[in-house]
Amino acid sequence: MLRDIILTQRRELENKMQEKYVNRRVDYDRFKNDMIKIIIGPRRSGKSFLGIHYLNECKNYGYLNFDDERLLSIENYDDFINALDAEYGNPEILLFDEIQNLKNWELFVNRLHRNGRNIIITGSNSKLLSKELSTHLTGRHLPIIVFPFSFMEFIDFNNHIQTESEKKMKLLDYSVYGGFPEPLIKKIDIKDYLRTLFDSIIYKDIIKRYNIRYPSAIDDLSLYLIGNCGKEYSFKTLAYITKIKNIKTIEKYIEYLEEAFIFFRVKRFSFKIKEQLSYNKKIYCIDNGLIYAKDASFTKNTGFLLENIVAIALKKKELLGDIKFYFWKNQQQEEVDFVVQKGYTIDCLIQVCYDTQNIETLEREKRALLKASKDLNCNKCIILNNDVEKEEVFKWYGEQVSIQFIPLWKWLTESENI
């Protein structure tokens, strides 16, 4: 049976190698490293295609997809290797898809690596990036983060787009439909595709995997969160929404949603760790298309959608270990959307204010930046907006701060330099 599964998967692999592929903006040099390569990100974000695209350039490889329940009943993992060696001819490079479905996969992969195999694995669970992983894989692993298309990858896909005005207009499309590759490449209905994907992740990666006793509760929780992206949440409100009285259960459910790469949380900044842990957090979605698919009313709020895009770009940087980021809020309830930290230093403060024509809103955003700048001792203040590019010295009650206005489309195209 195992040999038949591998043969079937090989045929599927060869078919995928012939499909249209959009180059991703990742560090391809990481594939040349002899460490274990971990391609991680949401389901259907292009992890497998990235690994397969790399195999296309190799000669001696083997492939096994553990998103097949028949493989999970096999107890002797050496059977996998024996069957792969027989089918592929002792491959040096092994690509294991959705490895997190395999029990004790870390020990298996580590043993293969010690025996000289070049290992690439993909996974849709953020625990693959946890600190415990360093222990299991003896520290010899490299993460390769694959989210749905970034704005620049979205532009790469629409390669006819050249001018600034075209990029600015395309940003509005991207803010609604997001960047999941398959519906864009195959031109299938985005809303139906992403609604099905969302429901599938909830059921397959959470309800089924963790044997959730009350599936409706996590459904209600996910729908509430996707309708409140960019906002703080309280456990009291979530308890009311889900009818779950146990706060620890709610927190555990949010962790499951985060592990499955549907949502991610952003902490409120404080120099005191205890305060940071006690404050409410904000919630963001991994792709705007999921918001479009599950909460049509929310897509009318362009400001929050664009803030979500910025949060995604920062989150990817954070997962790679380049930065940490938070939001800032003072006792007067004034806020700064994002506080970006590099090492032990606050690097920059970012407000997302798409419509700079609303004077009252713009003044509020600038005042918050000024106060956060003084509080955090950071002079790099940025307002991401629709099309204004300038530097302004903002003065208020004897205090002042220099603020950079940057068009959001431009910041996104240069965000690799954050």
Side-chain angles (χ1 to χ4, degrees):
M1 180 191 75
L2 178 56
R3 186 75 184 273
D4 290 340
I5 294 172
I6 291 177
L7 180 60
T8 300
Q9 289 191 0
R10 183 172 189 175
R11 289 170 180 163
E12 293 173 353
L13 174 70
E14 290 169 351
N15 288 334
K16 287 180 180 178
M17 285 178 165
Q18 304 305 315
E19 292 182 15
K20 180 180 179 180
Y21 178 76
V22 178
N23 278 319
R24 306 304 298 270
R25 289 176 174 256
V26 300
D27 184 0
Y28 284 96
D29 286 341
R30 293 198 166 203
F31 283 107
K32 301 174 184 177
N33 197 293
D34 63 357
M35 293 187 183
I36 299 167
K37 276 71 68 178
I38 304 177
I39 307 175
I40 187 164
R43 281 188 180 271
R44 315 305 296 174
S45 60
K47 303 182 304 297
S48 299
F49 266 88
L50 177 63
I52 290 168
H53 177 71
Y54 175 71
L55 293 185
N56 233 343
E57 302 174 4
C58 305
K59 294 181 180 179
N60 192 13
Y61 62 80
Y63 172 79
L64 202 54
N65 184 356
F66 289 100
D67 218 9
D68 186 325
E69 75 284 353
R70 295 172 297 176
L71 295 177
L72 306 183
S73 62
I74 296 173
E75 297 182 357
N76 186 351
Y77 294 172
D78 286 336
D79 291 346
F80 294 136
I81 301 306
N82 293 334
L84 283 169
D85 284 345
E87 176 61 32
Y88 285 95
N90 301 307
E92 293 179 4
I93 301 173
L94 296 173
L95 172 58
F96 293 143
D97 241 344
E98 299 297 345
I99 191 71
Q100 79 278 352
N101 293 327
L102 191 66
K103 187 178 179 180
N104 295 325
W105 65 267
E106 306 98 327
L107 303 177
F108 172 55
V109 167
N110 204 34
R111 176 163 60 86
L112 291 176
H113 185 253
R114 288 199 308 269
N115 291 335
R117 302 275 189 166
N118 189 340
I119 308 292
I120 304 170
I121 61 179
T122 79
S124 301
N125 190 302
S126 62
K127 278 190 173 179
L128 291 179
L129 287 177
S130 66
K131 293 180 180 178
E132 289 80 4
L133 190 61
S134 298
T135 302
H136 290 301
L137 298 182
T138 61
R140 296 189 58 77
H141 64 281
L142 279 176
I144 300 171
I145 310 298
V146 178
F147 280 8
F149 283 163
S150 67
F151 179 62
M152 276 309 297
E153 288 169 332
F154 189 74
I155 294 298
D156 291 342
F157 170 70
N158 295 278
N159 55 18
H160 60 282
I161 296 173
Q162 301 292 334
T163 67
E164 292 184 3
S165 60
E166 287 175 329
K167 291 178 181 178
K168 188 165 64 175
M169 289 299 297
K170 210 63 184 176
L171 176 60
L172 295 178
D173 287 343
Y174 178 71
S175 71
V176 174
Y177 303 120
F180 274 95
E182 192 168 16
L184 295 172
I185 292 173
K186 296 183 178 180
K187 300 186 184 305
I188 56 182
D189 187 274
I190 292 177
K191 178 171 278 191
D192 286 345
Y193 175 92
L194 293 179
R195 186 187 296 120
T196 301
L197 175 62
F198 186 95
D199 294 341
S200 175
I201 293 173
I202 294 293
Y203 175 74
K204 192 171 185 178
D205 290 344
I206 300 176
I207 294 173
K208 186 177 179 182
R209 174 174 294 162
Y210 296 107
N211 194 26
I212 303 296
R213 293 174 60 188
Y214 302 105
S216 61
I218 204 160
D219 276 335
D220 292 342
L221 176 61
S222 65
L223 288 176
Y224 175 81
L225 293 176
I226 209 162
N228 288 273
C229 287
K231 299 179 182 178
E232 293 179 55
Y233 65 86
S234 71
F235 287 117
K236 182 178 180 180
T237 301
L238 297 183
Y240 174 78
I241 294 295
T242 60
K243 306 297 188 292
I244 299 173
K245 295 181 180 179
N246 191 323
I247 298 301
K248 289 186 178 180
T249 299
I250 296 174
E251 189 167 15
K252 185 167 60 177
Y253 284 0
I254 293 177
E255 288 176 1
Y256 292 161
L257 290 165
E258 196 166 23
E259 287 171 7
F261 280 107
I262 298 179
F263 300 105
F264 57 92
R265 292 170 286 182
V266 176
K267 298 175 182 177
R268 176 176 166 181
F269 183 84
S270 173
F271 289 108
K272 298 177 181 179
I273 300 300
K274 286 186 178 179
E275 286 185 355
Q276 204 175 94
L277 294 174
S278 65
Y279 287 144
N280 287 342
K281 299 176 178 65
K282 284 189 176 183
I283 198 79
Y284 291 94
C285 185
I286 204 68
D287 184 80
N288 283 27
L290 295 176
I291 303 174
Y292 165 69
K294 299 297 290 187
D295 183 39
S297 63
F298 192 73
T299 60
K300 297 176 183 178
N301 193 327
T302 303
F304 276 124
L305 290 175
L306 296 173
E307 182 182 326
N308 198 78
I309 290 174
V310 175
I312 294 167
L314 293 173
K315 184 62 179 179
K316 189 172 181 180
K317 282 284 187 181
E318 186 174 69
L319 288 176
L320 287 169
D322 297 338
I323 64 167
K324 291 182 179 179
F325 74 106
Y326 312 84
F327 72 97
W328 177 88
K329 189 174 184 179
N330 63 11
Q331 292 181 344
Q332 290 73 43
Q333 304 301 300
E334 295 167 303
E335 292 188 29
V336 169
D337 294 327
F338 302 110
V339 176
V340 180
Q341 180 178 345
K342 287 187 177 180
Y344 296 103
T345 304
I346 303 300
D347 181 68
C348 66
L349 309 174
I350 299 174
Q351 293 281 43
V352 182
C353 182
Y354 193 66
D355 182 12
T356 56
Q357 300 303 310
N358 188 321
I359 302 302
E360 183 179 348
T361 299
L362 183 59
E363 287 295 303
R364 184 179 66 242
E365 304 282 29
K366 290 192 288 188
R367 282 198 305 271
L369 278 174
L370 184 147
K371 293 183 179 182
S373 173
K374 302 305 176 186
D375 183 40
L376 305 179
N377 192 27
C378 176
N379 295 321
K380 187 177 180 181
C381 298
I382 298 170
I383 292 182
L384 301 176
N385 65 94
N386 183 21
D387 57 6
V388 176
E389 186 169 11
K390 66 177 183 178
E391 187 163 346
E392 173 187 316
V393 176
F394 173 67
K395 298 179 180 180
W396 190 75
Y397 282 90
E399 301 281 0
Q400 67 178 46
V401 67
S402 179
I403 300 175
Q404 292 176 267
F405 286 72
I406 304 174
L408 179 54
W409 68 264
K410 188 171 186 179
W411 182 86
L412 288 170
T413 60
E414 299 171 351
S415 61
E416 297 298 322
N417 300 319
I418 295 172

